[in-house]
Structure formats: C-alpha cells, structure tokens
Amino acid sequence: MTDLHESSTGEVDAPRRSRLPAAIRAMRPKQWTKNVLVLTAPLASGQLFQLDVLWRVACAFVAFCLVSATVYLINDARDVEEDRLHPKKRFRPIAAGELKVPAALTLAAITGVLGFALGYLVSIPLGVVLTVYLAVQIIYSVFLKHLPVIDLAIVASGFLLRAMAGGLAADIALSQWFLLVAAFGSLFMVAGKRYSEMVALGAEAGTRRSLERYSSSYLRFAWTIAGAMVLMAYSLWAFENGHKGPWDVPWTTISIAPFTLALFQYALEVDRGEAGEPEDVVLSDRVLQCLGLIWLVLVAVAVFIK
C-alpha cells in the first residue's frame, strides 16, 4: 500500500509508489481487515478452532474480501470526481487515473462472481448475506449515500453483516447479546468515522455531501450513545457468562476492563479527527492493539478452556 505524508503546509503529499499493481490497490486490500469480523461469532461461541468451522469461516472471509472489493471498485468508479477533491482519496488508482473506469467495472464483475460462487458453495445463508450486502451497498451508492442518518445506518450494516456472516457460514446461532454488540459497535465506528472526517476536513470540503447536513454535536451524540450501548450490551453478556472458564475465575467479567479501555482509546482517536479510516487506527495504534490482545486472551480462556 502507499504511505501518505503531510507537507509543512498541512497538505497531503503524493504517496510513495507502491509495488502493488493499480488493480490490486483499487480493491483496497488494507480494508480487508474489516472482514476479520467474520471470526467474532465462532470465537464467542468457542467453536472457532473446530476444523469444519474454521474452514467455513476462512471461506467466508475470502468471499467477503472479494465481494467488498467489488463494492470498493464500483464506489470509486462512481465517486471519481468527489475523490479527486479529497486530500487522501485523490491518490486512489481510479481517481488518480492509474486504472480506467471500464477496467475497474470489469474487475468488479469478476470479483463479484468469484465471491458469490464461493459464498453460496459454502452455505446458502452466507450467500444470502453477501447478496444483501452487495445490494444494500449499491443502493446506498446510487441513491442514499447523501442522506444523513440513513448514511450512518447503511454503512454500519456492512460491519454488522460481516459479523453475522461467520456464524451463518458455520451454522452457529447468533445470540441477542452478540447482535446488540455488533450492531451498536458498528454504529459507533461509523459515526466516529464521520465525526473524524468533519474534524479533519470540514463539512464544506465537498468530499461527502452528507457531511454538510451533519453537525459536530450531532455526530458526537451519535457515537457517544452507540458507545454507551455497545458497552452496556457487552457487559450484560460478560456478566451472564461470568461463570464460564477454568479455576472459577470470571474471565468474561474481567474482560470488561480491557474492552472498555479499548473503546475509550478508539474514542480518543475519533475525537482527534484521526479515525476517518477505522482500519488505519486498528493497524497503527499500539495501545489499542495491546488492549485488544489482552481482551482476546481473556475471552479465549473463558470460551476455549473448559
């Protein structure tokens, strides 16, 4: 991927030349980290490392990478003029003229066919989730992306569908707590993303028309409420499952602490205006990574060690 640097005037300089072909970069492989969400339901259920489950979840991950690449290619082809006004997005291959729009749409068709073929081969419910994801994203891109609130809900649904996909692919029941955490966690990230964009670029930058109809106070309200709801839902799940795990230690209850701190750390990045790309925060924030690792160990002990 490319590295972006700010000049002394605050403008983003041209990125370093990447060795990856423009077609690969246009599929945004860096953003495929979002698809790790397909692991969450099998992880929470303690079935992730069963061979059949692991295979199905791995296929769900690949299928979502392919279909999400289709979405990115279509969106970038449609938004090429707006992206050229954005300090970072203007360096994307389509906006920069490295990949022509017809070639991008052809590539989108190929990745879409491969993703759906794999998804329906693994599981009919997984294929349906992929179909819903693509349909919603296309409708959003064509008709709804400039509508405030609807914009938040639809982008958040992409994260939620990823979280559901792993459980559906492996035929794992999705609990009410899992769905609540996934739904409000998704909304928290998306509202934070929009707030960061507003802080970093301003509502009048012309990069996203829906920003013109938001206010910073409204977006702060949205991601604060979503953060409170995800913390409450996770805590209720943790207390309900606090009896699980070895040595009579309430591992899931203890996991509330790193979960809360990780939420606060991410909120700090949002408040600074540096969470416009959630995957960048996850990949670069060492404190967030350490808290995530501690949380993962605690939950893994609770669900995998009997």
Side-chain angles (χ1 to χ4, degrees):
M1 299 297 294
T2 56
D3 294 322
L4 297 173
H5 305 275
E6 287 192 1
S7 67
S8 59
T9 62
E11 296 181 352
V12 179
D13 296 332
R16 297 173 183 170
R17 177 65 60 182
S18 172
R19 295 181 179 179
L20 291 176
I24 300 297
R25 284 185 283 121
M27 292 190 287
R28 303 192 213 172
K30 193 174 183 178
Q31 295 201 23
W32 294 351
T33 53
K34 297 174 184 176
N35 299 324
V36 174
L37 287 170
V38 303
L39 304 176
T40 51
L43 173 65
S45 69
Q47 301 178 57
L48 178 60
F49 295 110
Q50 295 177 15
L51 190 58
D52 182 60
V53 172
L54 188 59
W55 167 251
R56 288 176 173 270
V57 171
C59 289
F61 174 82
V62 174
F64 245 105
C65 287
L66 290 167
V67 176
S68 61
T70 299
V71 173
Y72 298 143
L73 288 162
I74 293 174
N75 283 347
D76 286 357
R78 284 187 51 83
D79 299 341
V80 62
E81 296 303 326
E82 287 184 5
D83 286 352
R84 286 171 178 162
L85 300 174
H86 194 284
K88 293 184 179 180
K89 293 180 181 179
R90 63 194 175 99
F91 297 118
R92 288 176 178 174
I94 299 175
E98 297 179 65
L99 184 68
K100 301 301 182 183
V101 170
L105 294 177
T106 300
L107 183 58
I110 294 171
T111 56
V113 169
L114 292 175
F116 282 119
L118 179 59
Y120 277 102
L121 182 64
V122 171
S123 164
I124 296 297
L126 174 60
V128 171
V129 167
L130 290 167
T131 303
V132 171
Y133 171 76
L134 182 62
V136 168
Q137 295 303 314
I138 291 176
I139 292 172
Y140 166 75
S141 180
V142 175
F143 300 109
L144 304 176
K145 71 180 301 178
H146 301 304
L147 297 179
V149 183
I150 301 300
D151 159 64
L152 297 180
I154 291 182
V155 178
S157 73
F159 291 95
L160 178 60
L161 289 170
R162 287 174 169 91
M164 294 172 58
L168 294 174
D171 196 24
I172 295 172
L174 303 174
S175 74
Q176 58 184 351
W177 301 125
F178 175 83
L179 292 173
L180 283 171
V181 170
F184 284 106
S186 301
L187 184 58
F188 172 74
M189 293 184 70
V190 175
K193 174 182 171 71
R194 292 290 180 265
Y195 179 82
S196 287
E197 290 174 344
M198 179 170 287
V199 170
L201 304 173
E204 306 299 329
T207 59
R208 193 184 299 276
R209 275 183 272 170
S210 62
L211 281 182
E212 297 175 6
R213 301 183 64 184
Y214 289 126
S215 66
S216 59
S217 59
Y218 174 80
L219 291 172
R220 287 181 68 88
F221 165 79
W223 64 264
T224 300
I225 292 296
M229 290 298 296
V230 72
L231 181 57
M232 182 182 69
Y234 180 82
S235 298
L236 290 171
W237 171 83
F239 284 125
E240 186 177 278
N241 293 275
H243 62 282
K244 294 183 179 180
W247 311 300
D248 295 322
V249 175
W251 297 99
T252 58
T253 303
I254 296 172
S255 75
I256 294 173
F259 185 89
T260 303
L261 292 175
L263 203 66
F264 285 177
Q265 180 67 21
Y266 189 87
L268 179 63
E269 300 297 329
V270 171
D271 197 53
R272 289 173 175 170
E274 296 177 1
E277 298 294 342
E279 63 279 2
D280 287 343
V281 177
V282 173
L283 293 173
S284 63
D285 191 314
R286 296 292 178 261
V287 174
L288 187 62
Q289 290 170 358
C290 289
L291 290 169
L293 180 60
I294 293 170
W295 170 82
L296 183 62
V297 169
L298 292 171
V299 172
V301 170
V303 301
F304 290 113
I305 301 178
K306 306 300 182 182

